[in-house]
Amino acid sequence: MFQRTLPVRALACGACALLLTACASTAFQPRDLTGQVSYKEKITLPPASTMVHLRLMNVAGSGGAADLLAEQFIDQPAHFPVRFDLRYDQHAIVAGGRYELDTQVYSEHQLSMQTAQTLTPGSSGLPDSVDVTVTPVGK
């Protein structure tokens, strides 16, 4: 009986080692997408009631569902343009994939401006920096 359990234990240990190796090779690899959000309209948003919401999404999913890769909320920005820094996993980006930076600006709890910008990965992934121009809702 001892001889039969030894190969099973060896197989189990080998499987665990292989699993740990696979996990180590796909560990989270941080990458930052930075930039700024601006608008062209000649208006001033009240800083105390303004919030900027950014989402980096993989929009190539089946069934139209988008996968959220990174998200940032910026409450009460002092002024525009607003700088942002989205941290995402480099492994989540694949060549030929479709990615989108969805940006919304809320003022006094109402969506006031937004945009969705398509990002195309190059040989080294997504660009390091993106400038976003939002437009008023309804225009």
Side-chain angles (χ1 to χ4, degrees), residues 68-137:
L68 182 65
L69 303 178
E71 182 173 40
Q72 184 178 7
F73 293 91
I74 304 168
D75 288 321
Q76 302 178 350
H79 56 80
F80 279 80
V82 175
R83 295 197 170 281
F84 67 87
D85 187 347
L86 289 167
R87 178 155 290 178
Y88 64 94
D89 185 0
Q90 173 81 24
H91 294 297
I93 308 302
V94 293
R98 292 182 29 225
Y99 303 91
E100 187 173 280
L101 180 58
D102 183 35
T103 308
Q104 299 171 327
V105 177
Y106 293 85
S107 180
E108 299 181 357
H109 308 291
Q110 299 288 327
L111 178 62
S112 61
M113 291 184 257
Q114 67 180 357
T115 193
Q117 187 168 338
T118 301
L119 301 175
T120 305
S123 60
S124 62
L126 293 177
D128 293 329
S129 181
V130 175
D131 289 334
V132 177
T133 303
V134 291
T135 58
V137 173

Side-chain angles (χ1 to χ4, degrees), residues 13 20 27 32 39 59 75 77 89 96 131:
C13 287
L20 288 173
D32 292 322
Y39 58 87
V59 293
D75 288 321
D89 185 0
D131 289 334

Side-chain angles (χ1 to χ4, degrees), residues 40-87:
K40 294 180 181 179
E41 284 65 31
K42 300 291 182 194
I43 58 173
T44 302
L45 297 174
S49 63
T50 300
M51 191 258 309
V52 179
H53 181 206
L54 298 115
R55 295 182 300 170
L56 176 61
M57 298 181 294
N58 179 345
V59 293
S62 61
D67 293 327
L68 182 65
L69 303 178
E71 182 173 40
Q72 184 178 7
F73 293 91
I74 304 168
D75 288 321
Q76 302 178 350
H79 56 80
F80 279 80
V82 175
R83 295 197 170 281
F84 67 87
D85 187 347
L86 289 167
R87 178 155 290 178

